[in-house]
Amino acid sequence: GQNIDQPTEMTATEGAIVQINCTYQTSGFNGLFWYQQHAGEAPTFLSYNVLDGLEEKGRFSSFLSRSKGYSYLLLKELQMKDSASYLCAVRDSNYQLIWGAGTKLIIKP
Amino acid sequence: ETGVTQTPRHLVMGMTNKKSLKCEQHLGHNAMYWYKQSAKKPLELMFVYSLEERVENNSVPSRFSPECPNSSHLFLHLHTLQPEDSALYLCASSPTSGGADTQYFGPGTRLTVL
C-alpha cells in the first residue's frame, strides 16, 4: 500500500529552527508538496520538490531525497503565526496525491 | 484569499436531511476536487472533475453526490448521512488534473451529522 509518515505533533520555541520530517512509500514518484494549514482554514501551498536537494523560500526550506523516500520542511526564525499543521503529500505514478496526516506545530514564546 | 470559496462554512444536519455544499473558484482552473478531512487522518480524495467531467470517484458512498455544472462551480449533494460522515469537507482546484499542478484549497465546510 501507499503510505506517508510524519510526526503527529511538534513543539518549538519562537525564534528557533524546527525540522518536520516526512517519509513516503508510494507507487512511483512525481513530486512532493508541503502545505500549511491553520486551524479552521484552507491548506495553503508552501513548496514543491521533484528533484533531490534543497529548495529555499525565505524562512522556509524543503529538502528531498528520492532514494531514501524522505523529505523535510525546515522553518527558521520561528514566529507565533507559524503555529499550524503542516501537510506532506506525494504525487504517485498515476499523478494522484497521497497525503500524510499532517504535523501539528506548536510555537511557544 | 486563495480564490476558492466554499459555502456554508459550517453545517449541522440530521441523518434524514438533504443538503448541498457549494464551491466556487475564481482562478480560471479546469480541474476541481472534493476532499474529506477527519481529525488526525490524511486528506481523503472523494471526487475529481476535469472540464466538468468526473474523472475519478474513490469508492465514495452514494449518499454523496457531486455535481459540476461548469468549470467554476462544484457541488456536493448530501442525503441520509451517517454520524461518521462528520468532517471538514475541502474543495480544491488546479489548472489541470494531472502533471505537477498545485492544488488551491477553499476554507472548507465543517459538517456535523447528528
Side-chain angles (χ1 to χ4, degrees), chain A residues 35 37 40 42 48 91 96 99, chain B residues 9 37 42 56 99 101 103 106:
Chain A
Y35 280 79
Q37 185 179 23
Y48 172 71
R91 197 181 293 277
Q96 180 166 339
W99 293 84
Chain B
R9 293 294 308 275
Q37 187 177 35
E56 191 153 349
D101 288 351
Q103 292 182 17

Side-chain angles (χ1 to χ4, degrees), chain B residues 54-66:
Chain B
R54 190 189 306 180
V55 297
E56 191 153 349
N57 171 2
N58 280 0
S59 303
V60 178
S62 59
R63 56 186 184 269
F64 295 92
S65 175

Side-chain angles (χ1 to χ4, degrees), chain B residues 40-54:
Chain B
K40 298 184 180 180
K41 289 186 177 180
L43 286 174
E44 298 174 46
L45 179 65
M46 301 175 71
F47 300 103
V48 181
Y49 276 82
S50 178
L51 294 170
E52 302 137 47
E53 288 194 17
R54 190 189 306 180

Side-chain angles (χ1 to χ4, degrees), chain A residues 1-15:
Chain A
Q2 308 205 84
N3 193 51
I4 308 284
D5 284 317
Q6 46 181 136
T8 303
E9 187 173 298
M10 299 182 69
T11 302
T13 304
E14 190 177 15

Side-chain angles (χ1 to χ4, degrees), chain A residues 7-27:
Chain A
T8 303
E9 187 173 298
M10 299 182 69
T11 302
T13 304
E14 190 177 15
I17 298 173
V18 71
Q19 178 175 310
I20 303 174
N21 295 326
C22 170
T23 57
Y24 61 89
Q25 291 175 308
T26 56
S27 54

Side-chain angles (χ1 to χ4, degrees), chain A residues 62-80:
Chain A
S62 56
F63 172 83
L64 174 67
S65 169
R66 289 171 296 170
S67 62
K68 295 182 179 178
Y70 168 70
S71 172
Y72 66 74
L73 182 69
L74 190 72
L75 290 74
K76 303 177 185 175
E77 302 169 16
L78 286 170
Q79 301 175 9
M80 297 303 293

Side-chain angles (χ1 to χ4, degrees), chain A residues 20-90:
Chain A
I20 303 174
N21 295 326
C22 170
T23 57
Y24 61 89
Q25 291 175 308
T26 56
S27 54
F29 178 86
N30 279 301
L32 184 144
F33 295 81
W34 284 97
Y35 280 79
Q36 179 191 60
Q37 185 179 23
H38 286 101
E41 297 183 13
T44 55
F45 170 74
L46 286 179
S47 67
Y48 172 71
N49 295 69
V50 67
L51 299 176
D52 290 350
L54 188 68
E55 294 279 343
E56 296 187 75
K57 251 190 209 180
R59 294 189 298 115
F60 292 7
S61 303
S62 56
F63 172 83
L64 174 67
S65 169
R66 289 171 296 170
S67 62
K68 295 182 179 178
Y70 168 70
S71 172
Y72 66 74
L73 182 69
L74 190 72
L75 290 74
K76 303 177 185 175
E77 302 169 16
L78 286 170
Q79 301 175 9
M80 297 303 293
K81 67 178 182 179
D82 297 330
S83 292
S85 288
Y86 292 86
L87 311 180
C88 174
V90 172

